[in-house]
Amino acid sequence: MIRVGIIGCGRISDLHAQAYLEHPEAVITAVCDPVADNRDTRGAAWGVAEQDRHADYRELLARDDVDMVEILVPHHLHARVALDAMDAGKHVSLQKPMATSLADADAMIARAAERGVVFKVFENFVFYPPIQRAKELIEAGEIGEVRSIRLKSNPGWSPTAWEVPAAASAWRIDPEQCGGGPLVFDDGHHKFAIAWHFLGLADRVHAFIGSTYDGLLDAPSLVSWTHPDGAVGSLEVVHSPELKLDTVHYAQDDRVEITGTRGVIWVTRGHGRMLDVAPVVLHRDGVTTKYDDMPTGWETSFVRSGRHFVDALLNGTPPALTGEQGREVLAFALAAQESARTGRAAAPAVTGR
């Protein structure tokens, strides 16, 4: 049985916790949040007794009935909390992006190795069933060699979307706490992770990162990149305030187009559902095939990612993303930030560079 402590009980923790609540070999034994309403509301919902709800994460780390921690705090606090957890001998699942700097990322990777604990960067989109199906089709050779990937991120509005607390929105629009903007750096991690998942780390990134609403949103933006084998990719982020979306999570949707030497695959949804078409569409040899035999709720990706970590701990297998893999995605995202600042292409910094 893997005993889980959750540090940070904000809005997103509902999706993270579900994986452990549903896993037969996991149990949430303690929670932590400085906001009493957060820790009490979530603690009660997850079956955590009142005495096992903490305001100070160091109290949770001192417990001997916690094997691993799920860290869900603002980005600028990631390294501090993760390093303390590793020093306490806890396995760590750290919400993406793993840090705001590569120096902090390297420190966590090194500390995990020193302490002999398993370190995972929690990225759910690579566990999203339509993305997993696209990966399976590519590995089966359905579109030949992948030559490009195009990603579109499109926030709008929705009457059924999550209500996001003001405090949660506030730190995401503060570059010092977030590490960048809320759309290209924070949510953009998902898109950079998808590109990395299919093509590996880019070798050259060029970005235009826009600014609207007095700098609160980093859109419209366009990021493009190349890979060592000549493949190319792009991410387009557009905020459409009058675009009504069908979602029960964030008011946003995503689309992915992957082009190979033999065919094309489209993943038509992400956070929500904009297009009334199959979630995965393949065109090859003049024939279009639609795949709709999979769950498409965004929450499924969180459950699969969390379950994967529990299974990795139980079986002694590597998690996804490992700290080293998470660092590559972070380097990808930071290269986009650097390019936007300088107006020149930037190379993601590889380990030891």
Side-chain angles (χ1 to χ4, degrees), residues 16-352:
H16 284 261
Q18 200 60 40
Y20 307 115
L21 294 171
E22 295 181 4
H23 200 295
E25 295 178 274
V27 60
I28 301 173
T29 55
V31 299
C32 171
D33 197 289
V35 179
D37 185 59
N38 282 351
R39 64 178 180 267
D40 290 338
T41 300
R42 266 72 188 214
W46 304 336
V48 177
E50 187 173 352
Q51 66 269 20
D52 300 323
R53 307 169 196 167
H54 303 279
D56 188 331
Y57 75 90
R58 288 163 292 196
E59 294 178 358
L60 184 148
L61 294 179
R63 299 173 64 112
D64 59 8
D65 61 348
V66 171
D67 302 308
M68 64 150 284
V69 290
E70 187 93 337
I71 300 175
L72 308 172
V73 299
H75 304 157
H76 70 298
L77 302 176
H78 281 189
R80 180 195 312 170
V81 178
L83 291 170
D84 286 347
M86 294 168 184
D87 285 341
K90 313 302 184 187
H91 303 299
V92 171
S93 172
L94 179 63
Q95 172 69 303
K96 64 80 197 163
M98 65 189 294
T100 59
S101 72
L102 293 177
D104 281 348
D106 290 336
M108 288 185 283
I109 292 169
R111 189 71 58 85
E114 291 169 4
R115 299 294 185 258
V117 297
V118 181
F119 179 28
K120 168 186 171 163
V121 177
F122 192 102
E123 168 53 56
N124 62 293
F125 257 78
V126 300
F127 288 93
Y128 185 49
I131 293 293
Q132 291 183 316
R133 178 61 60 85
K135 183 75 166 177
E136 292 168 1
L137 292 170
I138 289 169
E139 290 179 345
E142 293 290 347
I143 64 170
E145 183 182 357
V146 176
R147 304 312 299 147
S148 80
I149 183 166
R150 296 198 304 171
L151 302 106
K152 178 70 172 285
S153 179
N154 201 179
W157 77 278
S158 173
T160 56
W162 267 350
E163 181 180 347
V164 180
S169 297
W171 70 259
R172 283 184 171 84
I173 60 176
D174 180 352
E176 293 299 317
Q177 297 185 65
C178 181
L183 300 180
V184 179
F185 185 74
D186 181 25
D187 182 71
H189 187 282
H190 296 306
K191 284 68 183 184
F192 294 124
I194 290 172
W196 170 89
H197 187 55
F198 287 105
L199 284 167
L201 184 61
D203 61 359
R204 185 174 55 174
V205 181
H206 190 274
F208 167 81
I209 298 180
S211 177
T212 52
Y213 300 101
D214 295 325
L216 297 181
L217 290 184
D218 47 339
S221 297
L222 182 64
V223 184
S224 60
W225 58 85
T226 61
H227 292 270
D229 66 352
V232 298
S234 65
L235 165 63
E236 180 184 332
V237 180
V238 178
H239 177 232
S240 303
E242 300 175 23
L243 176 66
K244 184 178 179 179
L245 295 171
D246 178 9
T247 181
V248 294
H249 297 116
Y250 294 117
Q252 180 174 329
D253 208 2
D254 314 282
R255 284 96 75 194
V256 182
E257 179 181 290
I258 307 168
T259 302
T261 54
R262 188 180 182 184
V264 182
I265 293 173
W266 292 269
V267 176
T268 65
R269 65 192 62 172
H271 288 77
R273 174 174 175 169
M274 181 186 299
L275 303 176
D276 189 19
V277 297
V280 179
V281 179
L282 164 69
H283 183 82
R284 192 200 74 177
D285 298 335
V287 177
T288 299
T289 305
K290 302 174 183 179
Y291 299 89
D292 56 10
D293 57 336
M294 70 201 78
T296 57
W298 193 50
E299 67 280 357
T300 306
S301 62
F302 285 82
V303 172
R304 290 190 176 188
S305 184
R307 290 180 65 91
H308 176 82
F309 190 44
V310 173
D311 292 340
L313 293 176
L314 291 170
N315 300 328
T317 53
L321 305 174
T322 63
E324 290 81 2
Q325 292 170 335
R327 187 197 187 282
E328 289 198 351
V329 179
L330 176 63
F332 202 154
L334 288 175
Q337 300 293 313
E338 179 185 350
S339 173
R341 285 193 301 268
T342 65
R344 301 188 298 270
V350 298
T351 301

